[in-house]
Amino acid sequence: MQLSTDTQGREDMIIELFRATFTASEGAEEGALIGDLVHNLLANTAEPDRFVFTAEKDGAIIGGILFSRLTYEQDQRTVFVLAPVAVATDQQGKGIGQRLLNHGLAALRSAGVDIVMTYGDPGYYAKVGFKPISEADAPAPFKLQQPEGWLAQSLSDRAVTPLKGPSRCVEALNDPVYW
């Protein structure tokens, strides 16, 4: 398995991974929604505002994670949000997601990112260092449907909280349906 940041000419394969994975686990409507999100993140988010990591095996993309900028109006720290994450259904349970996440977090740390947030399963993301955080300490761009899934991790020696001011995400995530 190889890990890559190269998306050039491979956007359709990456989008299809997310669409198929979310369709298999959550249904066709969710698959289409997440496929559209990934398309918009890849096509309409400036490269300094996003990071994309994929896992490949035998020429096929079997896993992917995306991080995009999350800005807090009154805070100078560099914050990114991890969303979405997908591992091909037939490849799940082999540690691919955790390997991708650890690789991505290390790359963001090297790039000077201070904090990474995510919105997902606390049990899964705790395995790679995420901890629950309250909306009072780190306001989300929209009201969270499941606040217990709001998680954060410091990539520097500074504490995560509190993040000051309202937050703003990239345009692709700027819809309450994702929150």
Side-chain angles (χ1 to χ4, degrees):
M1 179 178 75
Q2 293 96 17
L3 301 179
S4 176
T5 58
D6 183 20
T7 61
Q8 197 70 24
R10 304 165 47 175
E11 297 88 351
D12 289 344
M13 289 171 54
I14 296 168
I15 294 163
E16 179 56 22
L17 165 75
F18 283 88
R19 188 204 60 72
T21 301
F22 278 85
T23 295
S25 66
E26 307 291 330
E29 187 175 324
E30 187 75 2
L33 180 72
I34 301 303
D36 287 346
L37 170 62
V38 172
H39 173 268
N40 289 331
L41 283 165
L42 294 174
N44 302 320
T45 304
E47 287 201 23
D49 293 330
R50 68 169 166 86
F51 290 86
V52 180
F53 300 93
T54 58
E56 301 172 40
K57 183 177 177 187
D58 301 326
I61 296 177
I62 59 169
I65 60 175
L66 286 86
F67 296 88
S68 58
R69 192 173 301 275
L70 186 60
T71 305
Y72 284 84
E73 280 184 16
Q74 300 159 10
D75 205 299
Q76 296 301 311
R77 290 175 282 180
T78 304
V79 181
F80 274 72
V81 63
L82 165 63
V85 174
V87 174
T89 304
D90 65 343
Q91 298 295 316
Q92 292 176 7
K94 298 178 180 180
I96 295 165
Q98 284 188 28
R99 188 163 164 206
L100 257 175
L101 289 166
N102 285 319
H103 177 77
L105 292 167
L108 269 67
R109 184 178 292 110
S110 293
V113 173
D114 297 300
I115 298 169
V116 176
M117 312 288 295
T118 196
Y119 184 42
D121 176 5
Y124 179 77
Y125 290 105
K127 295 175 186 175
V128 293
F130 284 92
K131 294 181 169 80
I133 191 166
S134 74
E135 289 181 86
D137 287 333
F142 294 94
K143 181 163 178 49
L144 299 174
Q145 298 170 31
Q146 309 221 355
E148 67 279 356
W150 194 224
L151 310 167
Q153 178 175 166
S154 175
L155 299 181
S156 71
D157 51 6
R158 286 186 67 187
V160 171
T161 58
L163 288 161
K164 298 179 185 98
S167 63
R168 187 178 70 251
C169 57
V170 298
E171 187 59 34
L173 276 172
N174 196 30
D175 186 326
V177 72
Y178 299 119
W179 301 92

